[in-house]
Amino acid sequence: MGSKLITGARIWDATGAPAFSGDVLIDGNRLRAISRTPGQLAAEGAEMIDGTGLTLMPGMVEGHAHLSFESVAATEDLITPTPEEQVFTAARGAKALLDAGFTSAYGASEAKLRLAVAVRNEVNAGRIPGPRIRAGSLEISVTGAMGDEGRLHNERPGGPSMIVNGPEEMRKAVRLFCREGCDNIKLDVSGDPFYPNTPATTTPMRLDEIRMAVETAHSYGRKVNAHTRSIEGSKFCIQAGVDGLFHCEYADDELLDMMEEARDRMFVVPTVSLFHTIVHGEASGSGLTPEIGGFMGITALLEESAKTHTALRKRGIRHLIGGDYGFAWSRQGTNARDLQFFVDYYGYTPEAALLCATRNGGMAMRSAGDLGMIAEGQLADLLLVAGNPDEDVSIMTDASRLVMIMNDGKIHKNTTAVAQRRAAA
């Protein structure tokens, strides 16, 4: 892989410090040295990359990845395709994320059990392009809850969730998912607006089932994430030691206190994009107009999200960006929209929103703490960006401004020569 020297860039290192001008030396897949004085690092034998006029920053982390979700409009789009077809879907999803500057994907769930596992393995082997991946499992749910598409006359085994009842069935399911290579186990703890019989305020999964999932997954060294919108469900997740909480729109003071107390051991992903796009008419072409969204309670849920996650921001909760992308109205590759949503809905500054996408995401991906910042010893997941994204996060939604994308020390995209010619013109 050799060494690479990025020179003359404006460096935003995601440590909380102001941006500075300097050079960065990459050796293999690690950052070996950072200099605040351009021209001071040894360059012999290194591949030179001119960062003049560009911002160097860590790669972004998608905190709620569904690699195999591609323009999904109904659960049929997840259930009916064959695994052979969907593995290509997941591979396209991985490439779309990397092309958009997401050098890591923290897996939520997939349409079939091993889809993200297979793509992760191919990416790690260097055979297909994609980000660093923590492979999400199939979702685990309970009878009559979100994800249970079966009826007595039509059992519909196989998707989009594995249905369990009781701690022992949960233990077996988690063991199976770990055996099959999943890094993250996903639980459907609460209800959801798309399931009228179990709305978002309900909690079909019980505490003893969640505890069993966490104890079993942690014994394998894996993480557990939970779909939780209800107050009771989120409290159960914290009590059980769940690692990542998705959604969390509803809250009371007790829950906010519990989340603040647990903030150093868990991450929270608001997943605002899915509902923002419905409320603002972007899903109308799929039959989900703003009026229908209001009837489903999505408008009110978005309001609760803004209230809860603004409060959590003030309490120092580690938020990740990641908005349930992969739906027909919220497509893969547009994930950086979450940055502006964090500013608009939750009161983050642009720089703080970017920290959620980089430093926080890196800590969720790797407990070693060696991802998501620009510092000596960090993994070399880097972007060179035309503009100052720490001041204007909308820049990150324009792929043409991602001049260089480096993942694990390997260059996925490099148009710095074109950028420098434009600057000189």
Side-chain angles (χ1 to χ4, degrees):
M1 193 180 299
S3 59
K4 301 174 180 67
L5 183 62
I6 301 174
T7 61
R10 174 184 180 269
I11 300 173
W12 182 80
D13 61 12
T15 66
F20 60 93
S21 296
D23 300 343
V24 173
L25 180 64
I26 298 105
D27 187 8
N29 70 340
R30 298 275 176 176
L31 306 187
R32 186 202 297 178
I34 295 98
S35 174
R36 290 174 174 264
T37 305
Q40 297 299 305
L41 297 179
E44 184 177 351
E47 177 183 351
M48 304 295 291
I49 301 171
D50 185 2
T52 303
L54 305 171
T55 294
L56 182 68
M57 60 171 282
M60 294 184 291
V61 179
E62 164 55 57
H64 187 135
H66 294 295
L67 300 179
S68 58
F69 288 25
E70 185 178 63
S71 301
V72 173
T75 51
E76 295 297 320
D77 300 325
L78 302 175
I79 295 173
T80 56
T82 67
E84 294 85 356
E85 292 167 323
Q86 283 185 317
V87 75
F88 288 106
T89 300
R92 289 192 296 269
K95 183 178 184 297
L97 284 176
L98 187 57
D99 288 343
F102 288 85
T103 54
S104 290
Y106 184 85
S109 65
E110 301 299 342
K112 305 280 191 300
L113 178 57
R114 283 184 49 83
L115 293 176
V117 172
V119 171
R120 177 202 66 199
N121 293 347
E122 290 297 298
V123 169
N124 289 348
R127 289 188 286 263
I128 64 172
R132 193 181 303 276
I133 296 169
R134 285 192 63 92
S137 68
L138 194 66
E139 297 183 10
I140 302 176
S141 190
V142 297
T143 298
M146 172 184 165
D148 181 7
E149 300 292 320
R151 295 295 183 268
L152 285 175
H153 67 283
N154 182 9
E155 293 186 1
R156 307 198 75 184
S161 301
M162 177 176 283
I163 306 303
V164 304
N165 291 287
E168 288 308 314
E169 289 188 10
M170 178 67 80
R171 189 202 306 267
K172 183 177 181 179
V174 174
R175 283 175 171 171
L176 172 65
F177 289 6
C178 292
R179 184 192 76 185
E180 295 300 305
C182 299
D183 299 305
N184 293 345
I185 308 300
K186 171 78 177 292
L187 308 178
D188 290 339
V189 171
S190 80
D192 189 84
F194 288 91
Y195 289 78
N197 291 334
T198 52
T201 53
T202 64
T203 312
M205 191 173 286
R206 308 318 296 162
L207 178 57
D208 59 348
E209 295 168 323
I210 303 166
R211 277 193 170 130
M212 179 62 80
V214 172
E215 290 171 6
T216 306
H218 285 180
S219 72
Y220 282 86
R222 313 300 168 85
K223 292 188 177 183
V224 177
N225 304 313
H227 167 106
T228 174
R229 302 189 189 278
S230 67
I231 294 173
E232 182 183 42
S234 296
K235 289 178 181 178
F236 282 173
C237 289
I238 296 169
Q239 291 168 354
V242 170
D243 302 288
L245 276 62
F246 298 149
H247 311 303
C248 302
E249 288 91 0
Y250 293 105
D252 59 15
D253 288 339
E254 181 184 35
L255 175 57
L256 295 175
D257 290 343
M258 291 172 67
M259 296 179 90
E260 182 175 3
E261 185 177 353
R263 66 185 180 185
D264 293 332
R265 65 165 178 83
M266 70 173 191
F267 298 88
V268 178
V269 193
T271 60
V272 65
S273 174
L274 176 63
F275 289 161
H276 169 92
T277 47
I278 293 171
V279 169
H280 288 83
E282 296 178 44
S284 295
S286 298
L288 271 173
T289 64
E291 291 75 20
I292 292 174
F295 179 76
M296 294 169 64
I298 288 173
T299 304
L301 201 63
L302 195 57
E303 292 171 355
E304 290 298 315
S305 176
K307 183 168 63 176
T308 295
H309 291 289
T310 297
L312 291 177
R313 171 184 61 79
K314 294 176 180 179
R315 289 171 179 251
I317 298 300
R318 294 182 298 180
H319 276 132
L320 309 184
I321 70 167
D324 247 338
Y325 289 87
F327 289 87
W329 56 89
S330 188
R331 294 175 181 267
Q332 297 282 9
T334 65
N335 310 58
R337 293 183 70 187
D338 259 34
L339 293 164
Q340 189 64 52
F341 294 153
F342 270 39
V343 173
D344 294 342
Y345 282 100
Y346 308 138
Y348 275 99
T349 65
E351 184 171 17
L354 211 58
L355 286 171
C356 294
T358 53
R359 184 178 64 189
N360 288 1
M363 288 189 287
M365 287 292 297
R366 292 176 60 87
S367 58
D370 58 357
L371 183 67
M373 295 183 289
I374 297 179
E376 291 182 8
Q378 289 274 301
L379 287 162
D381 288 12
L382 301 169
L383 307 175
L384 274 172
V385 182
N388 297 352
D390 51 313
E391 299 171 0
D392 178 6
V393 290
S394 69
I395 288 171
M396 301 305 295
T397 63
D398 183 354
S400 70
R401 301 184 75 159
L402 305 180
V403 177
M404 185 205 71
I405 300 171
M406 179 185 294
N407 189 32
D408 203 39
K410 298 182 288 291
I411 293 177
H412 173 67
K413 173 186 177 182
N414 185 5
T415 58
T416 51
V418 174
Q420 303 309 337
R421 285 198 298 270
R422 287 175 180 167

